[in-house]
Amino acid sequence: MGTPEVFDFVVVGAGPVGENVAQYATEGTDLTAVLIEQELVGGECSYWACMPSKALLRPVEIVATTQHLPGVTAAELDPAALLARRDDWVSHYDDTGQVDWAESEGIRVIRGVGRLTGERQVTVETPDRLVVLEARHAVVLATGSEAVVPEVYAEIAPWGSRDATGVREVPARLAIVGGGVVACEAAVWMNALGSQVTMLVRGDRLLPRAEPFASDLVREALVSSGIDVRLGAEVSACQRDDARDAGVGLIHGGEVELTVAGDTLVVDEVLVATGRRPRLAEVGLETVGLDPQRIADPPDWLVPVGDVSGEAPLTHWGKYRARVLGEALAAKAEGRSEPTVPDDVPVPQVVFTDPQVASVGLAEEAAREAYAEVVVAKVDWNSAGGAALLRDDATGAAQIVVDRAARCLVGATFVGPGAGELIHAATIAITGRVPVDVLRHAVPSYPTASELWLRLLESLPRDLRAGTVGAGE
């Protein structure tokens, strides 16, 4: 295998998280980095998750909006054009542009499976040879996550999330197992493409990490659109003739019979969206004395980031942590002080259902466990004229959770049309620890959906919004 090639940083995994670590660890310096990727540079988000799903969902949202605006001729969905738009946004599954970007930044890209084979050492199995790499400062693991398929579905070749975002053959009848983000979003676009969708949710509500009112609003909207949502529905058995791997986005065999609470449900395809786990099987953690299933107490030269770190498995969070890590690695390598990072940075998330669910920080229940006293303000979506104007018959709500002692937001949830564009204000307020009596002086433009902020702040107790807590009133 020869003498190892030496870089300052060896990054295993060239998804958005790995890309950001390599970029921020080397830009403006003489430090070097190499990215190792066994699939497409740009990773799950670029080709099989965030980008294709949103490319599919946005036109569906536009069609729904035209159906709720008098004076506008209702639009119709063109399935072929919708899938063509998806293909454009994933660059037809060609990562040339991503590779060109990396190389333009001076970052080396090696295609293959990277595996730890010693301290600061990674061996890459490329299509034609083995390449041994050595890191002067750190090996970064950014290998992402993989779908979990329960044993009951092991023999039927079910669809995973990649099949749903890469759909090419639309099943007439689709069962979606799960009630999380992937399940809910996929239900929207598959229903719009013409599938008769049945959601089988083991729990008692959708989106279990969201505020209960958000879960209820999404379920009501899905049902109103013709989707059969079954809560408390656990699949005990399933069978399928001619199960096969037909290729991504194609139906994987004959009809599927699912046994649910003693009843039989027959569908043409099953999408299993029951969660993901860190992709660690091929990393070689055991070669450096670590548990091969999870990363606990790694040596200082081995740094996990993104989904494998155990933190929130969200692309934007992984990219943020990668930026922070990259800057810290560069500073340490050059003997500089590491940049200061705020404490308790909140994690935002948007679920692109219709209505959208946007949240950041703590939900009400978690906040009540974390703080001595919290105050909750909740308003209807249509309480603000600017929000109501977005779509006639819009349903939704907005809620903020405030730590009374500090008079600062600790959580917020918006549910309604375009809610995803409203949540960043809450993220800023929580990160900056802006007191609510100061926030009320941030004037929303009229008429915009941001007026919901005014309605929320007006709903707080008078002493809290006026900044007189503890003043003897």
Side-chain angles (χ1 to χ4, degrees):
M1 290 186 285
T3 304
E5 296 185 57
V6 181
F7 296 84
D8 291 297
F9 309 107
V10 176
V11 183
V12 185
V17 174
E19 289 176 325
N20 271 260
V21 170
Q23 177 186 359
Y24 278 75
T26 59
E27 66 180 359
T29 75
D30 293 326
L31 298 168
T32 59
V34 58
L35 286 168
I36 303 163
E37 179 54 53
Q38 60 181 301
E39 293 188 292
L40 296 178
V41 176
E44 196 79 19
C45 180
S46 298
Y47 304 99
W48 301 290
C50 314
M51 296 307 290
S53 66
K54 301 331 169 260
L56 291 165
L57 286 164
R58 178 58 175 164
V60 174
E61 180 187 20
I62 294 297
V63 169
T65 298
T66 67
Q67 295 169 347
H68 293 271
L69 286 176
V72 177
T73 301
E76 294 184 357
L77 198 69
D78 180 338
L82 180 64
L83 298 184
R85 180 178 196 260
R86 182 270 319 276
D87 291 342
D88 287 342
W89 273 98
V90 298
S91 303
H92 298 269
Y93 304 98
D94 181 345
D95 65 355
T96 301
Q98 298 288 97
V99 174
D100 289 345
W101 167 82
E103 292 178 346
S104 73
E105 294 289 320
I107 301 167
R108 173 91 171 273
V109 175
I110 298 178
R111 295 187 185 276
V113 178
R115 181 180 175 84
L116 292 166
T117 49
E119 182 174 338
R120 303 177 192 270
Q121 186 180 89
V122 174
T123 298
V124 186
E125 183 180 350
T126 74
D128 53 9
R129 64 191 180 102
L130 294 179
V131 178
V132 181
L133 306 174
E134 183 178 309
R136 290 190 187 92
H137 299 290
V139 173
V140 178
L141 296 182
T143 49
S145 61
E146 58 190 4
V148 175
V149 180
E151 187 64 29
V152 68
Y153 308 104
E155 302 301 321
I156 67 164
W159 269 13
S161 58
R162 289 189 176 190
D163 295 287
T165 60
V167 56
R168 289 182 281 162
E169 187 175 1
V170 178
R173 299 163 298 177
L174 174 68
I176 299 179
V177 182
V181 176
V182 172
C184 290
E185 291 186 349
V188 172
W189 78 70
M190 292 305 300
N191 178 61
L193 284 169
S195 281
Q196 178 185 328
V197 178
T198 302
M199 295 185 70
L200 303 174
V201 185
R202 186 171 61 179
D204 58 1
R205 66 184 178 101
L206 300 174
L207 304 173
R209 291 186 176 85
E211 295 283 10
F213 78 85
S215 300
D216 291 342
L217 287 166
V218 170
R219 179 180 56 80
E220 291 165 6
L222 292 175
V223 171
S224 294
S225 70
I227 296 169
D228 182 2
V229 180
R230 303 185 188 183
L231 303 178
E234 186 160 4
V235 177
S236 58
C238 58
Q239 62 180 28
R240 177 183 217 166
D241 294 332
D242 190 28
R244 62 188 184 277
D245 181 4
V248 173
L250 297 175
I251 296 176
H252 291 182
E255 289 183 339
V256 184
E257 292 187 4
L258 302 167
T259 303
V260 186
D263 294 329
T264 299
L265 173 66
V266 180
V267 295
D268 299 292
E269 191 55 83
V270 177
L271 165 59
V272 177
T274 53
R276 300 179 68 84
R277 64 186 167 214
R279 184 180 285 136
L280 293 172
E282 297 180 326
V283 170
L285 292 171
E286 68 280 1
T287 67
V288 292
L290 298 176
D291 185 332
Q293 302 299 320
R294 65 187 187 93
I295 303 175
D297 299 320
D300 58 4
W301 57 266
L302 182 63
V303 187
V305 65
D307 290 4
V308 297
S309 71
E311 297 186 4
L314 299 166
T315 298
H316 50 272
W317 183 254
K319 290 173 69 173
Y320 162 68
R321 297 296 291 164
R323 295 192 295 270
V324 170
L325 172 62
E327 291 175 342
L329 288 173
K332 184 177 180 180
E334 295 187 328
R336 298 181 282 109
S337 298
E338 296 182 14
T340 302
V341 179
D343 294 329
D344 300 323
V345 176
V347 182
Q349 182 174 20
V350 180
V351 185
F352 291 85
T353 44
D354 184 9
Q356 292 180 3
V357 178
S359 60
V360 65
L362 298 178
E364 178 182 350
E365 182 178 350
R368 293 194 184 281
E369 294 176 357
Y371 296 94
E373 184 178 3
V374 299
V375 178
V376 176
K378 181 182 176 185
V379 299
D380 185 78
W381 185 265
N382 293 321
S383 65
L389 280 168
L390 292 175
R391 184 189 295 188
D392 288 10
D393 306 320
T395 59
Q399 177 176 291
I400 56 174
V401 182
V402 178
D403 170 19
R404 176 174 271 279
R407 307 195 321 277
C408 292
L409 260 68
V410 294
T413 299
F414 290 82
V415 185
E421 300 300 335
L422 289 173
I423 202 62
H424 193 55
T427 304
I428 293 170
I430 297 173
T431 303
R433 304 286 291 168
V434 183
V436 291
D437 55 293
V438 175
L439 278 180
R440 61 190 291 264
H441 294 288
V443 182
S445 297
Y446 178 85
T448 66
S450 59
E451 290 176 274
L452 284 168
W453 277 99
L454 179 58
R455 300 290 173 262
L456 287 165
L457 295 169
E458 288 174 337
S459 299
L460 292 171
R462 184 180 182 86
D463 65 332
L464 188 58
R465 70 174 188 262
T468 56
V469 176
E473 293 191 1

